[in-house]
Amino acid sequence: MPHELPKSYEPGAIETRWAEYWIKEKLFSVPTPPEGETRPVFTLLLPPPNVTGRLHMGHMLNQTQMDIIVRWHRMRGFITLWLPGTDHAGIATQMMVERQLAKEGKKRRDLGREKFIERVWEWKKLYGGAILDQMKRLGASVDWDREYFTMDENLSRAVREVFVRLYEEGLIYRGKYIVNWCPRCETAISDLEVKHEEVVGKLWEIRYPVVGTNQFITVATTRPETMLGDTAIAVNAKDERYTHLQGKKVLLPLMNREIPIITDELAQPEFGTGAVKVTPAHDPNDFQAGKRHNLPQIDVMDEHAHMNQNAGPFAGLDRYEARKRVLADLQEQGFLVGEKDHTLALGKCDRCGTVVEPRLSEQWFIKIKPLADRAIKAVESGEITIVPDNYRQIYLNWMNNIYDWCISRQLWWGHRIPAWTCDSCKEVIVAREAPAKCTKCGSAKLEQVSDVLDTWFSSGLLPFTTLGWPEKTRDQAVFYPTTLLITAYEILFFWVARMIMFGCHFMEAHKQDPALKKASGWEEKKDDSVPFRQVYIHALVRDADRQKMSKTKGNVIDPLEIIERFGTDATRFTLAAMAAPGTDIAFSESRTDGYRAFANKIWNAARFMFMNVDRVEPGLRPGTGSESASFHLETLEDRWILSRFNRVTAEVNDALTTYRFHEAANRIYDFFWGEFCDWYLELIKPRLNFEDGANRTQARIACGNLVNLFDGALRLLHPVMPFITEEIWQALYEGNPPLKSIALAGYPQPDERRFDLSAETEMAILQDLIVNVRNVRAEFKVEPKVKVPLEVFAPDPAIRVMIEQNRGAVERLANVEKIAFVEGSLDKRAGARSTARFDVHVLYERKIDVAAECERLKKDLEKFDKEFANNQRQLSNEQFLAKAPEKVVEGLRKRAQELTVLIDKTKSKMKELGCK
């Protein structure tokens, strides 16, 4: 039956169909391999998008790169697991539901905790799967049968187990410390969740009267409202200006409270007045100074950043209203010395944008150094590599200066901390399950701590908890450590570092459990406690002007709109082709439109192939074995295209090995569009037309080569453009392929025996000849229908023979009437072109535009000179010569000789024309 492919390429029509087919057929589901399985394993964890999320360009880039790598490994025979899921996103989800309640005129406290959490689960059921539905539409080849949600019961149990173990090991503690407090979210947030914004604020100078004297000490502050909680003034012991005041007291303005003058390194003589106010409950540095001097901790704000009863007459005021009143009263009472502009980094909540307040609060912390030390070693020793390499040092710098991690959040949605307080004796009990009575006094009056864990706590466990931990499972034996993590720089510390810390800590102990081998068939593997072997940090997607996308700038690009206009394949190809490691992507719709045209080119090439196959040999399918084994080398173009296919295959595989997505995509593009469509298809057209038996045989061979090559090229392209390749590949087998999907077919591997340098060189000369003739025709404005005669001078007899053998291709593709070979250079004739291997003269009567010809020659000379200078720079670099492969160096030397000839010929012609 004839091959069926619609006349026009409509991506929307085919993409939805294949996305649904892949899921329905469970093509990417990975059952747990039995013991004795010898195939290599590739495991990748999808960075779980927030359950509140919608697909943005960062997701699109991340998922495109992951899908390319996953499909590439699967096609190379790896047991390939790409594990999907979503994160419960504590603050974000709670805010979303609170907004919904606000529209109903309600607050979460009106519902109570239990009812509110029920409401969140309802919201999640209705809206929480949106981003995964979008992923399915995009064809992400994840194992949907293993999809998880971080609040699933099995994962929640693992979270409790980790918390209890860390507590039992003395690595989790509870205490009052200064934390970053968001008054809007009403919770503590980590340093990483605070975004600093440089703003011009004010610096106010306030004088404090020294008790028993007529002297004052002047201090400066950017937050005058916090002075209501001052408990000391600090000066430096070495500051002679204040030696006589050490040990005395000052009267705190507005509060009329005496506070001591202490000596502490907090005060630096060279900064400001050399004296600083100490507010232990509202500044992290002051908090530490307060501990050193046993100062009181006076908290003057509540959780909403309103002044509390400790603020005296200012109680009940919002912090900014209190600031105005404090400044007015200081001015009125003569304590305000002055104010000036001051640039400061204002900390804001990354989630809601509210200015963060440093606040004394009782929280739960992880003593992080023991975990961080092992995580540092994992990267320093090479157990984990980070690509690009510059992120390795960024990671190490942060880890070496890490602070204890505040893991508690004052939210209702999330993993509730497994700790209970006894109402009778105030004992805190940490347990895996709710205790029946107090372990200290036996009371049954226990109340669970209301705080939940930081979202990153549970997501940091995912590499092993999603594989069944704390149980001993076969999945852990096979899929842990995961192979690779592809993620964004912005979560290197939020998530990546914490996965490394948790993975090394818990899986190191886990693998030493003697019950593990028996239960799971675990085989000891080197460095198998790390959560992954490699981390690839992808770049940012910016707008076409390289500006960071933001709603404020109005330059946010919606990937779903781009996909609707250009198709998923074209969008994926754009991101891949621009994704050089370490370089941000300036996303361009014009590039995407170009890759939409690329998909159309492939589609039309397939239709051309099917039209000829159905005419020449109906029912023809790709042969068995490799592309090379099924290919008949009848002509120069056959030898050339097979050599180029194998070289490109080697380059693409090599590029993907080191995440050079741009190189892989561009090599495929150049091969498929340039070499295959523009040259090979044109070159074989005469062979596809037959009139007798001998010609029919050649047509069959040409069709067989075409089908086998197209099959290989589709598989080469598939990881980047999965939809169009699936559609054409299925049509290639007339809807009855040997496998359910091209995604399960083998990825092309290079056959070095098919590398044919001679064929590539000869074809390059032939292409050069045809292109030069086409250029002359264009410059002379020769009508397309007019055939022109050529004169060719080729000093090398082998080149002359090769051109003679391929005379028909030159005449047809350059629209040439006849070719005459001459003795002697043609470079001085009008309408001639010179190369290192031949001169060609287009015989066409038209007066030459000397100025235009001189301008063209001048540009050619500049190009040749520049290339020659670069060439010589490399050849004179001893370090380069020592490291470069021999064939690269030889190629440079050969090119230097060619450039010398081209430069001489161009100068000679310019002299002949009298060019200046």
Side-chain angles (χ1 to χ4, degrees):
M1 67 184 252
H3 295 83
E4 292 185 6
L5 209 60
K7 185 174 182 180
S8 61
Y9 166 59
E10 297 294 340
I14 67 172
E15 289 173 359
T16 302
R17 175 160 43 87
W18 287 119
E20 292 172 354
Y21 170 81
W22 293 332
I23 294 172
K24 178 185 173 185
E25 294 295 325
K26 295 183 179 292
L27 293 186
F28 311 126
S29 296
V30 184
T32 302
E35 291 185 43
E37 174 62 70
T38 58
R39 285 179 294 164
V41 175
F42 179 85
T43 314
L44 183 71
L45 180 70
L46 174 80
N50 286 352
V51 71
T52 59
R54 295 293 184 273
L55 196 76
H56 58 62
M57 264 302 176
H59 290 132
M60 188 75 197
L61 172 65
N62 185 234
Q63 291 177 22
T64 294
Q65 293 183 342
M66 285 188 285
D67 198 44
I68 289 171
I69 291 294
V70 165
R71 287 177 185 269
W72 177 57
H73 276 89
R74 187 184 292 115
M75 293 177 77
R76 291 191 301 140
F78 284 67
I79 299 172
T80 305
L81 174 62
W82 185 10
L83 200 57
T86 47
D87 192 280
H88 64 278
I91 294 178
T93 307
Q94 181 158 316
M95 282 178 61
M96 196 73 74
V97 177
E98 284 184 0
R99 286 176 191 157
Q100 196 178 65
L101 286 173
K103 291 177 182 178
E104 302 170 14
K106 299 176 185 175
K107 295 184 178 180
R108 64 182 165 108
R109 298 188 190 281
D110 297 334
L111 273 68
R113 183 170 192 142
E114 189 175 331
K115 291 292 183 185
F116 177 77
I117 290 174
E118 287 178 9
R119 183 70 177 259
V120 179
W121 278 107
E122 288 173 11
W123 182 92
K124 190 259 179 189
K125 186 176 180 181
L126 285 173
Y127 306 107
I131 195 162
L132 293 185
D133 290 341
Q134 290 169 346
M135 279 184 64
K136 291 173 183 177
R137 165 65 182 81
L138 299 180
S141 61
V142 301
D143 184 346
W144 292 110
D145 288 342
R146 292 176 181 259
E147 180 189 336
Y148 66 84
F149 177 54
T150 51
M151 291 282 284
D152 288 342
E153 178 49 40
N154 60 318
L155 296 184
S156 296
R157 185 169 67 87
V159 168
R160 292 194 297 272
E161 181 66 29
V162 165
F163 186 95
V164 173
R165 288 194 194 184
L166 289 173
Y167 184 80
E168 291 172 346
E169 293 168 19
L171 294 176
I172 283 184
Y173 63 93
R174 193 183 194 188
K176 270 198 166 187
Y177 293 90
I178 293 288
V179 296
N180 303 299
W181 185 267
C182 175
R184 162 60 186 81
C185 300
E186 295 181 33
T187 182
I189 57 176
S190 72
D191 290 344
L192 292 173
E193 293 167 295
V194 178
K195 297 301 177 187
H196 290 91
E197 196 176 288
E198 194 171 277
V199 297
V200 177
K202 296 289 184 182
L203 186 69
W204 289 276
E205 291 187 342
I206 305 167
R207 58 181 190 170
Y208 290 51
V210 180
V211 175
T213 74
N214 59 358
Q215 294 181 279
F216 295 87
I217 287 186
T218 301
V219 300
T221 181
T222 58
R223 298 159 64 215
E225 66 279 8
T226 63
M227 69 171 289
L228 305 175
D230 287 357
T231 56
I233 294 292
V235 296
N236 195 287
K238 298 176 184 177
D239 194 336
E240 296 179 357
R241 290 173 295 176
Y242 300 114
T243 303
H244 65 293
L245 296 179
Q246 292 176 14
K248 292 186 180 296
K249 293 185 177 183
V250 296
L251 188 68
L252 179 61
L254 309 184
M255 300 301 286
N256 297 319
R257 184 172 67 242
E258 291 188 2
I259 58 175
I261 298 172
I262 62 172
T263 56
D264 193 275
E265 294 297 318
L266 183 66
Q268 296 295 315
E270 62 272 22
F271 291 111
T273 64
V276 295
K277 59 194 279 304
V278 183
T279 321
H282 291 278
D283 182 273
N285 295 320
D286 293 7
F287 174 78
Q288 295 299 332
K291 287 179 69 176
R292 290 193 290 271
H293 296 274
N294 198 28
L295 297 173
Q297 299 168 342
I298 303 176
D299 185 357
V300 296
M301 290 188 205
D302 63 17
E303 66 271 22
H304 306 293
H306 285 71
M307 312 312 287
N308 61 23
Q309 69 277 8
N310 293 329
F314 304 95
L317 295 177
D318 167 78
R319 55 181 164 170
Y320 298 119
E321 182 59 33
R323 178 179 297 179
K324 293 177 186 176
R325 286 274 301 275
V326 165
L327 289 169
D329 288 358
L330 289 172
Q331 178 76 45
E332 184 181 333
Q333 296 178 33
F335 295 117
L336 186 62
V337 177
E339 69 173 54
K340 58 184 176 182
D341 289 341
H342 177 71
T343 301
L344 68 153
L346 193 64
K348 293 185 176 182
C349 174
D350 186 41
R351 183 61 57 188
C352 69
T354 303
V355 175
V356 168
E357 193 67 43
R359 182 169 184 254
L360 185 66
S361 178
E362 189 169 58
Q363 303 288 340
W364 294 81
F365 296 84
I366 290 183
K367 193 181 294 181
I368 209 72
K369 192 173 186 306
L371 281 75
D373 287 346
R374 176 66 183 90
I376 290 168
K377 180 187 172 189
V379 172
E380 286 183 335
S381 66
E383 296 170 63
I384 297 172
T385 56
I386 300 177
V387 181
D389 187 63
N390 60 299
Y391 290 112
R392 176 182 182 273
Q393 195 55 52
I394 294 171
Y395 165 88
L396 292 173
N397 289 344
W398 188 77
M399 292 297 286
N400 280 303
N401 293 282
I402 197 170
Y403 294 100
D404 284 358
W405 176 15
C406 175
I407 55 172
S408 49
R409 297 290 181 270
Q410 287 62 57
L411 303 170
W412 285 356
W413 172 245
H415 293 104
R416 197 165 178 179
I417 289 177
W420 288 260
T421 303
C422 175
D423 285 350
S424 301
C425 70
K426 304 307 177 186
E427 177 77 357
V428 175
I429 303 148
V430 171
R432 291 166 178 81
E433 302 296 338
K437 59 183 180 180
C438 177
T439 54
K440 184 177 180 180
C441 73
S443 171
K445 294 181 179 179
L446 302 175
E447 185 174 347
Q448 188 173 359
V449 169
S450 62
D451 295 351
V452 300
L453 288 164
D454 180 3
T455 297
W456 297 104
F457 186 98
S458 55
S459 59
L461 311 175
L462 292 173
F464 54 92
T465 56
T466 52
L467 299 175
W469 190 96
E471 304 301 326
K472 283 60 172 176
T473 68
R474 175 69 184 157
D475 273 353
Q476 290 165 34
V478 175
F479 299 117
Y480 191 94
T482 64
T483 315
L484 171 68
L485 180 74
I486 298 180
T487 190
Y489 165 70
E490 60 198 21
I491 56 174
L492 179 60
F493 309 123
F494 274 124
W495 191 45
V496 179
R498 286 157 179 175
M499 282 191 288
I500 296 173
M501 288 189 281
F502 281 146
C504 289
H505 186 79
F506 286 99
M507 293 307 286
E508 202 143 47
H510 198 59
K511 71 176 184 179
Q512 292 167 3
D513 188 331
L516 185 60
K517 281 188 180 181
K518 185 178 178 181
S520 65
W522 185 291
E523 295 178 8
E524 285 292 330
K525 293 177 280 188
K526 183 182 177 184
D527 307 330
D528 56 9
S529 66
V530 297
F532 27 72
R533 303 293 188 194
Q534 198 162 55
V535 179
Y536 176 70
I537 306 292
H538 67 69
L540 283 175
V541 183
R542 299 178 179 271
D543 70 10
D545 297 321
R546 296 199 170 275
Q547 296 294 309
K548 189 172 181 178
M549 294 186 204
S550 72
K551 291 179 181 177
T552 307
K553 293 178 182 175
N555 64 343
V556 174
I557 300 170
D558 183 350
L560 296 177
E561 289 182 9
I562 299 295
I563 287 165
E564 187 68 29
R565 291 166 56 198
F566 303 107
T568 304
D569 282 336
T571 308
R572 285 171 61 114
F573 203 95
T574 306
L575 292 169
M578 301 178 80
T583 304
D584 287 348
I585 294 170
F587 189 85
S588 164
E589 287 189 17
S590 62
R591 286 282 293 267
T592 313
D593 192 31
Y595 295 130
R596 169 69 166 76
F598 174 51
N600 205 59
K601 184 86 170 180
I602 295 167
W603 187 267
N604 289 334
R607 284 178 49 77
F608 170 82
M609 173 183 65
F610 291 146
M611 177 187 71
N612 282 282
V613 167
D614 291 340
R615 180 175 56 83
V616 175
E617 191 167 2
L620 180 65
R621 294 156 64 101
T624 57
S626 69
E627 304 76 26
S628 301
S630 308
F631 207 88
H632 296 274
L633 302 176
E634 297 290 316
T635 62
L636 170 61
E637 63 262 24
D638 289 340
R639 288 167 49 219
W640 167 73
I641 198 66
L642 186 60
S643 180
R644 289 302 305 141
F645 176 79
N646 279 281
R647 285 195 195 277
V648 169
T649 294
E651 291 167 355
V652 170
N653 277 285
D654 181 64
L656 290 177
T657 300
T658 50
Y659 316 116
R660 302 190 317 274
F661 296 97
H662 65 305
E663 287 187 21
N666 288 319
R667 293 292 180 277
I668 295 170
Y669 179 91
D670 291 343
F671 173 79
F672 221 137
W673 186 312
E675 294 173 325
F676 180 73
C677 292
D678 282 356
W679 287 101
Y680 185 68
L681 291 185
E682 294 301 322
L683 287 165
I684 67 168
K685 279 181 179 178
R687 294 161 61 195
L688 295 173
N689 297 315
F690 61 89
E691 294 178 1
D692 53 38
N695 286 344
R696 186 184 185 100
T697 299
Q698 280 300 310
R700 284 175 171 172
I701 291 171
C703 274
N705 286 350
L706 180 56
V707 164
N708 283 303
L709 187 65
F710 213 111
D711 172 65
L714 287 172
R715 287 183 282 118
L716 191 70
L717 174 62
H718 175 73
V720 189
M721 293 181 117
F723 292 104
I724 190 172
T725 51
E726 183 77 88
E727 180 78 6
I728 297 173
W729 188 81
Q730 294 278 349
L732 198 59
Y733 287 92
E734 299 177 285
N736 187 29
L739 298 164
K740 285 185 175 181
S741 169
I742 188 176
L744 305 180
Y747 198 75
Q749 297 300 307
D751 182 353
E752 293 187 7
R753 295 171 302 173
R754 298 299 189 181
F755 289 179
D756 191 333
L757 183 60
S758 173
E760 291 187 44
T761 302
E762 289 177 12
M763 183 56 71
I765 295 169
L766 208 60
Q767 290 171 320
D768 206 8
L769 175 61
I770 292 167
V771 169
N772 271 287
V773 174
R774 287 173 174 173
N775 289 343
V776 172
R777 289 178 62 98
E779 288 172 21
F780 282 10
K781 295 183 172 57
V782 180
E783 290 292 328
K785 293 180 181 180
V786 175
K787 291 182 178 292
V788 294
L790 296 185
E791 289 182 338
V792 177
F793 167 60
D796 184 341
I799 292 176
R800 178 171 175 168
V801 169
M802 186 273 295
I803 295 173
E804 185 66 52
Q805 290 173 342
N806 293 277
R807 176 188 291 268
V810 176
E811 290 176 347
R812 188 165 54 84
L813 297 182
N815 205 11
V816 169
E817 185 177 49
K818 63 180 180 178
I819 302 173
F821 291 93
V822 300
E823 301 297 330
S825 176
L826 299 166
D827 63 330
K828 295 180 181 179
R829 301 192 187 185
R833 292 290 182 271
S834 296
T835 72
R837 292 187 175 92
F838 63 82
D839 295 345
V840 59
H841 176 216
V842 176
L843 297 166
Y844 184 71
E845 291 299 324
R846 180 179 180 276
K847 187 176 181 180
I848 187 171
D849 184 336
V850 175
E853 183 71 0
C854 284
E855 185 61 28
R856 183 189 68 79
L857 290 168
K858 182 181 176 183
K859 288 180 180 178
D860 283 350
L861 184 60
E862 288 174 354
K863 182 178 72 174
F864 296 147
D865 283 339
K866 185 177 180 181
E867 186 182 352
F868 186 75
N870 290 333
N871 177 287
Q872 293 303 294
R873 193 178 301 114
Q874 286 182 289
L875 289 175
S876 62
N877 186 330
E878 294 298 331
Q879 192 175 10
F880 169 79
L881 294 175
K883 292 182 179 180
E886 186 177 338
K887 64 180 182 180
V888 172
V889 176
E890 183 57 34
L892 285 169
R893 288 178 176 143
K894 188 175 180 182
R895 182 58 178 163
Q897 294 172 357
E898 293 175 354
L899 288 167
T900 301
V901 172
L902 287 169
I903 289 168
D904 289 345
K905 284 187 173 184
T906 305
K907 286 181 177 178
S908 175
K909 192 160 187 179
M910 289 176 74
K911 184 178 180 181
E912 179 73 19
L913 291 172
C915 302
K916 295 180 181 179

